[in-house]
C-alpha cells in the first residue's frame, strides 16, 4: 500500500505534542460543569517498566474517559505513583541504590512510557506517595485517626513474614501466606498500631448495596467482613467468677454440648488450668506455637488437643463439661472458644479420637435417624430438637431464636452480631514507608506530633537491611530531631506505615494538587466525588478497596469530606496471560509493550488489546493478531484521508450501516465492551469500502466513533475533515459531540435465527427478510456446527418458529 500507507510514529508524536501544548486534558476542577472522575489504580514504579498488563488497564480506561468527554462530560483523568513499600526497598538492599534515588528514575521512565499511550492524563495533578508533600497527608490522616480514637497501639498476635521481616495486615496474609513473597506467615505477639476499621464493619456491609460494583467483588467483601448473627453463651467456669463467653451461630445444639474447646493461647487458659495439668498444657501450647495457621486449620490434618483439667457448666443442662484446648480453635476468630457437640463434624471427630462422650440432640425432619442416634454418623444440618427440655420438637431455626431469648431472660447469654473483619494493622518494621507521626515521652507514653511539624521526614542515615527491628532505630538524626523538638529522653516511633495507607486516600489528593492547607478542598470534593469510574485489578477486592472505603467513611465522620463512598462504579479488567500462564517477572514471560508500539503505534496496540476479548475477561497474548488491527487502521486511514465530497448524496446502505455502528459502539462503550465496539466499526468499514468514496458527513460520524479507541488516528482524520468542511474553527475530535443514531435507520433487511439440534443451541443463521421457510431450513442445515451435531443421525422433525428459531429433532 505505497500510496496511502499510514506511519503512526510521527502522527502520534504530533498529536501528543498538540494535546500537551494546548492543555487539552487539563481539568478545571473548580469550574467544571459536568464533572466525571475517571480513575485507574495507580502503578507501582518498580525497576521493571510498564508491561502489557498496565496497558490493558489504562488504555481501555482512557477510551472510556474519551467517550464520556465526547458525551459532554468534563473528564478528569489523573495518574500517579504508589511508591513506598517492599519492592523499592528490596531493590535497594540488592543494589545499594537508595529507594528515593531509584524511585525517581523509575517514575521518570514510567512517565515517558505513559505519555506514549496518548491517554488524557492531567499531568499537572500527578502525585507520588513518597514525596514529602504527599506523605505529610498520610501522616495527617494518622493524626486524625489518633485524635478520633481510631488509631490504637496494642499487643496482639500478629502475622509475621519471616522472609520480609515485618508484620502484615490480615488482608495481606490471606490463606496464611505473605501477599508479597508467598512465604508462610507465623504468629507473633507484638505491640502494634491498629486502625479500628471494625467500627465501620456494619456500614462497610450496608453500603455495598448502593454501589455499582461487580457482584463477585461485593460477595468477596461481604465474606471478608463476615457479618454473622448468633448467640453469645455464658458458661460458668468451676472455681472462677468470670464467665467464659462463647459465640455460636448454632445455639440450637446447646443441650448436646459435652465439652468446651479454647484456643491454646486463650488468656483464660493460664487462669483455669490446675497445677497438675499445667505441664501437659504448657508443652502442648509450645507445640502449637510452631504451627502456621494454615497447618492448624487444614481440614485434612489430624486435630490435636489436651484437657486443661478445668470444667465449665453447660447453662442449658447445668452439667459439668470438660474444658479442652485444641489447635483448630484460633484465638483471633470469634471469641477464641467453641462449645462442642455431636452436630459438628470437627467436634465429632475430635471427641471420638479422645474418647469424649457425645450426646445427639438433633435429627433430620424425616428419614432414618438410627445411625445418628447410635453416633455412627454426624448430622450437622438443621433438624428437629430432642432431649432439649422445653425446646423439644422445635425446628433448628425457631429453636435458635427461642433458646437465645431464654438465655437472655436467664442472663446466661445474649443475641450478638459478630464480624470476621479485624482491625487494620498498619505498622511495619521496614524502612521505606511514611514514618508514623508519634513520639514517646521518657515514660513511654505516646504523643501525636503537632501538625506544624509535618511532614515528619523519613531519615536517610539508615542501612535498609531488614533485621526484624525497624531500621529507623539506626538513625542518629531521627533521635536527635525528636529530642531537639520535644526534650531529652523522648523517642520517635520507629515503625513506618503500611503502603495501603498511602493508597487509601490518593484519589482525594489528585483533587488537591498543590494545596498545602487542606487534604482536599470541600467544594471540589463535593463536586467530583465519588469517582464515576474506577478500574483496576480484582486482587484488591479485600485490601485496597476495603481500606479506601473505610478511610473515606472515617473522613466523612471527621467532617473532612461529604461522601461516604469513594468509588461509585468499579470495573475489574481481565488478566492477560502468556500461553495460558500468568505473566510474572520471575517466570520471565512478561511482554513489554514498547517494541509493539514502536512497530505499530499506540492506537494499533491499544485496539489490539481491546479486541482480544471482553475487557473483563482478559485473554491470552498472541502477537500474530496485531497485524489484523494494523491492516484495519491502514484501511481506515486510506479511505478517510482521500479528498471527500461534501454534500455527496448519501448511500442508503452506508447510512444504515453507519447508524447500526453508532448504536453498537455506543452501547458497547457504555458497558466497556471494547471488542464489540471495534467489531462494529470493522463491519461498517466493509460497507463503506464496498460503496466507494464516502461523503464527508459519513466520514465525520465514523471518525468520531473511532476517536475513543484510536485517538491519534482520529485526530489526524478529523483535521483532514476540518479542511474539507472548512468550518474555520480548529477543534479536537475529542471536543466534538458523540454521534447519535436514528432508530428508523436501524430497520434491517435481514434477521437472525437461532438453530437448535435436539434442544441444544448449535448456532445461528442470518437470512433475508424475504426468505421462505424452506430456504431458512436449508441455510440452518448448512451451519458447520449443526452439520457436526446431525452427522450420522436421521432428522425426524424440523420445527420453524417464524423469525426466531429452527429446531431439528433427530
Ligand atoms: Zn513476605
Amino acid at each position: 500500500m505505497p500510496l496511502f500507507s499510514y506511519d503512526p510514529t510521527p502522527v502520534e508524536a504530533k498529536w501528543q505534542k498538540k494535546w500537551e501544548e494546548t492543555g487539552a486534558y487539563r481539568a478545571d476542577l473548580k469550574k467544571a460543569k459536568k464533572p466525571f472522575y475517571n480513575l485507574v489504580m495507580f502503578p507501582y514504579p518498580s525497576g521493571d517498566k510498564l508491561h502489557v498488563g498496565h496497558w490493558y488497564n489504562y488504555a481501555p480506561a482512557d477510551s472510556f474517559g474519551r467517550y464520556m468527554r465526547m458525551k459532554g462530560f468534563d473528564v478528569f483523568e489523573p495518574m500517579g505513583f504508589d511508591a513506598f513499600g517492599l519492592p523499592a526497598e528490596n531493590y535497594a538492599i540488592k543494589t545499594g541504590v537508595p529507594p528515593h534515588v531509584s524511585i525517581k528514575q523509575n517514575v521518570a521512565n514510567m512517565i515517558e512510557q505513559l505519555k506514549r499511550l496518548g491517554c488524557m492524563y492531567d499531568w499537572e495533578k500527578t502525585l507520588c506517595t513518597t514525596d514529602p508533600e504527599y506523605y505529610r497527608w498520610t501522616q495527617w490522616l494518622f493524626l486524625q485517626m489518633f485524635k478520633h480514637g481510631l488509631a490504637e497501639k496494642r499487643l496482639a498476635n500478629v502475622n509475621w513474614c519471616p522472609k520480609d521481616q515485618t508484620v502484615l495486615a490480615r488482608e495481606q496474609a490471606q490463606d496464611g501466606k505473605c501477599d508479597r513473597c508467598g512465604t508462610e506467615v507465623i504468629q507473633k505477639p507484638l505491640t502494634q498500631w491498629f486502625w479500628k476499621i471494625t467500627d465501620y464493619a456494619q456500614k462497610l456491609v450496608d453500603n455495598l448495596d448502593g454501589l455499582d460494583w461487580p457482584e463477585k467483588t461485593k460477595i468477596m467483601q461481604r465474606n471478608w467482613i463476615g457479618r454473622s448473627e448468633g448467640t453469645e453463651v455464658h458458661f460458668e467456669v468451676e472455681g472462677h467468677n468470670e464467665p467464659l463467653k462463647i459465640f455460636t451461630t448454632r445455639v440450637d445444639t446447646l443441650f448436646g454440648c459435652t465439652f468446651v474447646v479454647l484456643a491454646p493461647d486463650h488468656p483464660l487458659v493460664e487462669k483455669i488450668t490446675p497445677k497438675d495439668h499445667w505441664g501437659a498444657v504448657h508443652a502442648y501450647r509450645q507445640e502449637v506455637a510452631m504451627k502456621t495457621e494454615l497447618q492448624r486449620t487444614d481440614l485434612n490434618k489430624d486435630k490435636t488437643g489436651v484437657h486443661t483439667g478445668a470444667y465449665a457448666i453447660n447453662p442449658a443442662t447445668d452439667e459439668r463439661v470438660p474444658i479442652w484446648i485444641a489447635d483448630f480453635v484460633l484465638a483471633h476468630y470469634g471469641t477464641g472458644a467453641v462449645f462442642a457437640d455431636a452436630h459438628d463434624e470437627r467436634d465429632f471427630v475430635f471427641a471420638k479420637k479422645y474418647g469424649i462422650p457425645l450426646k445427639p440432640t438433633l435429627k433430620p425432619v424425616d428419614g432414618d435417624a438410627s445411625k445418628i442416634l447410635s453416633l455412627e454418623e454426624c448430622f450437622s444440618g438443621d433438624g428437629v430438637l430432642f432431649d432439649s427440655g422445653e425446646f423439644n420438637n422445635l425446628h433448628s431455626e425457631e429453636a435458635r431464636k427461642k433458646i437465645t431469648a431464654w438465655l437472655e431472660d436467664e442472663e446466661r447469654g445474649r443475641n450478638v452480631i459478630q464480624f470476621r473483619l479485624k482491625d487494620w494493622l498498619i505498622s511495619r518494621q521496614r524502612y521505606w514507608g511514611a514514618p508514623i507521626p508519634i513520639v514517646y515521652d521518657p515514660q513511654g507514653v505516646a504523643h501525636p506530633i503537632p501538625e506544624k511539624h509535618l511532614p515528619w521526614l523519613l531519615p536517610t542515615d539508615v542501612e535498609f537491611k531488614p533485621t526484624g527491628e525497624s531500621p529507623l532505630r539506626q538513625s542518629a538524626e531521627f533521635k536527635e530531631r525528636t529530642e531537639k523538638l520535644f526534650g531529652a529522653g523522648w523517642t520517635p516511633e520507629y515503625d513506618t506505615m503500611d503502603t495501603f495507607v498511602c493508597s487509601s486516600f490518593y484519589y482525594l489528593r489528585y483533587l488537591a494538587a498543590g494545596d498545602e492547607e487542606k487534604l482536599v478542598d470541600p467544594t471540589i470534593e463535593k463536586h467530583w466525588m465519588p469517582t464515576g469510574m474506577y478500574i483496576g485489578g480484582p486482587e484488591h477486592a479485600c485490601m485496597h478497596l476495603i481500606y479506601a472505603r473505610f478511610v473515606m467513611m472515617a473522613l466523612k465522620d471527621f467532617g473532612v469530606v461529604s461522601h461516604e463512598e469513594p468509588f461509585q462504579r468499579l470495573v475489574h479488567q481481565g488478566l492477560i496471560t502468556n500461553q495460558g500462564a500468568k505473566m510474572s517477572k520471575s517466570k520471565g514471560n512478561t511482554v513489554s509493550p514498547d517494541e509493539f508500539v514502536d512497530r505499530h503505534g499506540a492506537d494499533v496496540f491499544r485496539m489490539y488489546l481491546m479486541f482480544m476479548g471482553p475487557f473483563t475477561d482478559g485473554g491470552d497474548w498472541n502477537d500474530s493478531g496485531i497485524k489484523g488491527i494494523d491492516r484495519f487502521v491502514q484501511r481506515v486511514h486510506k479511505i478517510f484521508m482521500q479528498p471527500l465530497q461534501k454534500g455527496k448524496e448519501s448511500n442508503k446502505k452506508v447510512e444504515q450501516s453507519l447508524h447500526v455502528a453508532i448504536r453498537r459502539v455506543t452501547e458497547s462503550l457504555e458497558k466497556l465492551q471494547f471488542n464489540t465496539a471495534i467489531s462494529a466499526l470493522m463491519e461498517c468499514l466493509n460497507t463503506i469500502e464496498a460503496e466507494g468514496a464516502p461523503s464527508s458527513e459519513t466520514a465525520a460520524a465514523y471518525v468520531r466513533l473511532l476517536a475513543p479507541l484510536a485517538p491519534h488516528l482520529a485526530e489526524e482524520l478529523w483535521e483532514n475533515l476540518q479542511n474539507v468542511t472548512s468550518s474555520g474553527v480548529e477543534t479536537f475530535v475529542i471536543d466534538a459531540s458523540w454521534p447519535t443514531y436514528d432508530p428508523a435507520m436501524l430497520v434491517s433487511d435481514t434477521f437472525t435465527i437461532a438453530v437448535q439440534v435436539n434442544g441444544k443451541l448449535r448456532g445461528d443463521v442470518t437470512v433475508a427478510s424475504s426468505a421462505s421457510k424452506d430456504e431458512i431450513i436449508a441455510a440452518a442445515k448448512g451451519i458447520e456446527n449443526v452439520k457436526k451435531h446431525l452427522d450420522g443421525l436421521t432428522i425426524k422433525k424440523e420445527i420453524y418458529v417464524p423469525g426466531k428459531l429452527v429446531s431439528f429433532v433427530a
Side-chain angles (χ1 to χ4, degrees):
M1 50 191 90
L3 196 54
F4 288 109
S5 177
Y6 171 55
D7 181 6
T9 308
V11 172
E12 293 187 352
K14 165 185 151 187
W15 288 105
Q16 284 167 15
K17 191 160 167 261
K18 279 205 181 189
W19 291 332
E20 193 160 332
E21 282 169 359
T22 56
Y25 302 137
R26 227 172 282 147
D28 189 334
L29 298 176
K30 283 210 173 92
K31 293 195 188 127
K33 289 206 174 65
K34 274 181 86 180
F36 186 85
Y37 194 165
N38 192 41
L39 186 67
V40 291
M41 290 184 187
F42 61 167
Y44 192 95
S46 66
D48 322 317
K49 294 174 121 194
L50 289 181
H51 54 76
V52 170
H54 289 111
W55 271 70
Y56 195 67
N57 182 347
Y58 305 151
D62 176 68
S63 290
F64 181 73
R66 288 175 177 276
Y67 164 69
M68 292 302 284
R69 174 145 164 178
M70 292 179 77
K71 283 214 317 180
F73 287 90
D74 296 293
V75 176
F76 176 41
E77 208 171 279
M79 176 52 75
F81 304 93
D82 185 17
F84 270 136
L86 289 181
E89 191 170 343
N90 289 340
Y91 180 77
I93 292 160
K94 214 166 89 185
T95 62
V97 181
H100 65 270
V101 176
S102 66
I103 287 293
K104 211 170 207 169
Q105 187 54 51
N106 293 338
V107 165
N109 289 342
M110 276 180 121
I111 288 178
E112 199 178 306
Q113 273 187 303
L114 283 164
K115 287 198 165 167
R116 291 194 67 193
L117 269 159
C119 291
M120 299 199 296
Y121 297 136
D122 182 346
W123 287 109
E124 280 190 353
K125 300 177 185 77
T126 187
L127 56 82
C128 182
T129 59
T130 55
D131 288 342
E133 58 263 37
Y134 183 88
Y135 73 68
R136 65 166 290 179
W137 295 105
T138 315
Q139 295 170 331
W140 178 87
L141 179 63
F142 183 98
L143 293 178
Q144 304 314 305
M145 292 286 186
F146 186 82
K147 201 164 94 188
H148 292 88
L150 288 175
E152 196 174 84
K153 199 172 191 186
R154 62 173 110 103
L155 180 72
N157 253 338
V158 298
N159 293 300
W160 175 267
C161 174
K163 179 152 181 267
D164 290 321
Q165 295 272 302
T166 182
V167 301
L168 299 166
R170 199 167 134 256
E171 288 77 14
Q172 292 146 33
Q174 295 185 32
D175 307 321
K177 288 191 176 132
C178 169
D179 91 297
R180 287 283 175 206
C181 70
T183 305
E184 275 199 14
V185 299
I186 57 171
Q187 301 292 308
K188 248 192 178 186
L190 283 172
T191 304
Q192 299 285 298
W193 284 100
F194 289 86
W195 281 7
K196 291 192 199 164
I197 190 171
T198 52
D199 282 14
Y200 288 84
Q202 187 65 53
K203 194 169 270 183
L204 285 165
V205 174
D206 291 344
N207 283 10
L208 281 173
D209 292 333
L211 298 178
D212 181 6
W213 283 25
E215 206 45 49
K216 204 176 152 194
T217 307
K218 289 192 194 180
I219 291 169
M220 282 171 78
Q221 286 212 350
R222 279 198 195 97
N223 288 345
W224 185 253
I225 298 162
R227 182 189 189 277
S228 55
E229 201 166 344
T231 312
E232 186 185 83
V233 186
H234 300 172
F235 283 72
E236 274 176 43
V237 181
E238 271 186 3
H240 290 267
N241 297 329
E242 287 266 308
L244 166 61
K245 294 176 179 174
I246 296 180
F247 176 80
T248 179
T249 55
R250 290 301 304 271
V251 79
D252 52 317
T253 63
L254 181 61
F255 282 80
C257 159
T258 50
F259 61 112
V260 160
V261 190
L262 302 182
D265 46 350
H266 192 289
L268 209 57
V269 175
E270 279 161 43
K271 293 180 193 155
I272 61 169
T273 304
K275 277 205 183 74
D276 57 336
H277 280 74
W278 183 246
V281 165
H282 183 65
Y284 180 70
R285 289 174 110 195
Q286 284 192 314
E287 186 189 313
V288 173
M290 306 293 286
K291 293 186 191 172
T292 63
E293 196 168 309
L294 209 58
Q295 290 168 328
R296 284 175 59 178
T297 52
D298 187 342
L299 290 172
N300 301 316
K301 291 245 170 71
D302 209 19
K303 305 289 175 289
T304 61
V306 293
H307 181 208
T308 60
Y311 288 84
I313 306 297
N314 181 335
T317 60
D318 287 329
E319 281 166 1
R320 288 176 93 219
V321 295
I323 302 176
W324 284 65
I325 55 173
D327 54 0
F328 65 83
V329 180
L330 301 170
H332 55 284
Y333 280 88
T335 41
V338 299
F339 73 69
D341 56 71
H343 301 292
D344 176 280
E345 304 275 357
R346 213 175 40 185
D347 299 349
F348 189 87
V349 172
F350 188 82
K352 291 226 152 182
K353 177 177 173 184
Y354 289 102
I356 307 168
L358 286 168
K359 192 177 98 182
T361 55
L362 207 57
K363 60 186 178 191
V365 176
D366 41 38
D368 181 15
S370 57
K371 284 192 169 169
I372 297 161
L373 296 175
S374 64
L375 292 169
E376 283 166 79
E377 259 175 24
C378 171
F379 171 62
S380 59
D382 276 5
V384 178
L385 277 68
F386 62 92
D387 279 351
S388 298
E390 61 186 277
F391 306 101
N392 280 346
N393 301 317
L394 288 181
H395 188 266
S396 290
E397 207 179 302
E398 203 189 343
R400 286 195 279 269
K401 284 183 198 140
K402 294 209 161 152
I403 294 175
T404 303
W406 175 72
L407 287 169
E408 282 182 343
D409 286 345
E410 297 277 311
E411 296 186 345
R412 286 176 166 194
R414 61 190 181 107
N415 179 265
V416 290
I417 289 160
Q418 190 180 263
F419 295 93
R420 191 172 157 254
L421 187 72
K422 296 291 161 197
D423 282 336
W424 177 12
L425 199 181
I426 61 113
S427 22
R428 294 290 177 276
Q429 290 69 50
R430 296 293 301 237
Y431 170 68
W432 191 234
I436 293 173
I438 288 286
V439 284
Y440 298 93
D441 64 26
Q443 282 72 46
V445 178
H447 298 265
I449 291 174
E451 275 180 37
K452 64 177 180 201
H453 296 311
L454 302 187
W456 184 242
L457 293 175
L458 184 66
T460 50
D461 57 336
V462 171
E463 284 274 333
F464 10 85
K465 288 197 175 57
T467 59
E469 278 218 320
S470 176
L472 300 196
R473 277 181 194 280
Q474 307 156 13
S475 166
E477 181 273 320
F478 201 38
K479 179 87 172 61
E480 275 162 29
R481 190 202 309 169
T482 304
E483 292 205 311
K484 202 170 142 205
L485 282 174
F486 300 96
W490 285 62
T491 51
E493 167 63 61
Y494 293 113
D495 286 351
T496 52
M497 276 186 261
D498 180 8
T499 54
F500 281 99
V501 176
C502 312
S503 55
S504 68
F505 68 97
Y506 77 109
Y507 47 89
L508 293 173
R509 249 344 252 178
Y510 278 140
L511 296 172
D515 190 340
E516 291 178 16
E517 303 298 317
K518 292 179 289 307
L519 174 74
V520 63
D521 181 303
T523 321
I524 291 177
E525 183 274 331
K526 197 165 181 210
H527 202 41
W528 285 89
M529 292 297 290
T531 66
M533 176 58 84
Y534 194 27
I535 298 180
E539 67 276 16
H540 295 286
C542 294
M543 289 197 274
H544 162 63
L545 288 169
I546 283 190
Y547 299 144
R549 293 183 62 216
F550 156 57
V551 165
M552 191 74 180
M553 286 173 189
L555 287 171
K556 163 111 194 303
D557 285 349
F558 304 162
V560 176
V561 297
S562 62
H563 297 88
E564 248 169 25
E565 288 291 336
F567 318 123
Q568 185 53 38
R569 186 173 175 194
L570 172 77
V571 172
H572 299 304
Q573 79 275 14
L575 187 69
I576 299 295
T577 52
N578 195 350
Q579 290 171 335
K582 193 178 168 180
M583 290 190 197
S584 79
K585 204 179 93 174
S586 57
K587 284 192 202 129
N589 66 347
T590 55
V591 174
S592 161
D594 295 358
E595 59 169 306
F596 295 96
V597 177
D598 287 344
R599 206 176 317 144
H600 303 278
D603 285 344
V604 168
F605 190 64
R606 77 148 76 186
M607 271 203 287
Y608 169 61
L609 290 175
M610 290 191 276
F611 197 57
M612 280 170 75
F615 179 53
T616 52
D617 288 5
D620 198 45
W621 173 258
N622 176 344
D623 58 9
S624 64
I626 202 166
K627 291 194 192 83
I629 295 288
D630 203 335
R631 267 195 302 278
F632 168 65
V633 161
Q634 294 291 345
R635 282 166 56 203
V636 169
H637 183 262
K638 182 175 170 185
I639 196 150
F640 295 116
M641 278 304 272
Q642 60 184 317
L644 300 168
Q645 294 165 273
K646 186 175 189 251
K648 181 192 173 188
E649 197 172 322
S650 49
N651 174 308
K652 178 92 192 295
K653 258 191 188 168
V654 168
E655 232 179 308
Q656 268 189 351
S657 145
L658 192 62
H659 283 263
V660 169
I662 295 172
R663 181 183 164 178
R664 283 183 60 199
V665 174
T666 305
E667 289 177 357
S668 298
L669 291 183
E670 285 290 339
K671 290 184 271 188
L672 282 82
Q673 288 167 354
F674 305 100
N675 57 331
T676 55
I678 295 169
S679 298
L681 285 171
M682 287 174 164
E683 278 170 35
C684 184
L685 182 68
N686 289 342
T687 311
I688 294 172
E689 281 179 337
E691 299 299 318
S695 69
S696 58
E697 285 75 15
T698 300
Y702 192 94
V703 169
R704 280 180 290 160
L705 291 181
L706 181 73
L709 303 156
H712 307 87
L713 173 63
E715 290 294 6
E716 186 72 3
L717 298 174
W718 190 249
E719 186 184 50
N720 181 46
L721 279 170
Q722 298 271 310
N723 293 338
V724 176
T725 57
S726 60
S727 64
V729 189
E730 202 190 325
T731 55
F732 291 120
V733 66
I734 193 74
D735 292 318
S737 62
W738 188 250
T740 51
Y741 62 89
D742 175 0
M745 296 296 291
L746 300 176
V747 181
S748 176
D749 294 340
T750 60
F751 60 98
T752 303
I753 295 174
V755 184
Q756 292 185 344
V757 177
N758 289 331
K760 286 220 169 90
L761 185 68
R762 295 301 181 193
D764 54 47
V765 62
T766 301
V767 293
S769 308
S770 57
S772 68
K773 180 184 166 183
D774 288 347
E775 283 169 339
I776 292 166
I777 288 177
K781 280 182 190 164
I783 301 170
E784 267 322 302
N785 195 39
V786 171
K787 271 192 209 159
K788 202 175 96 192
H789 285 91
L790 285 173
D791 192 33
L793 302 173
T794 318
I795 299 175
K796 293 191 194 112
K797 225 184 201 176
E798 296 171 349
I799 303 159
Y800 173 55
V801 183
K804 284 187 181 150
L805 181 75
V806 172
S807 179
F808 297 110
V809 181

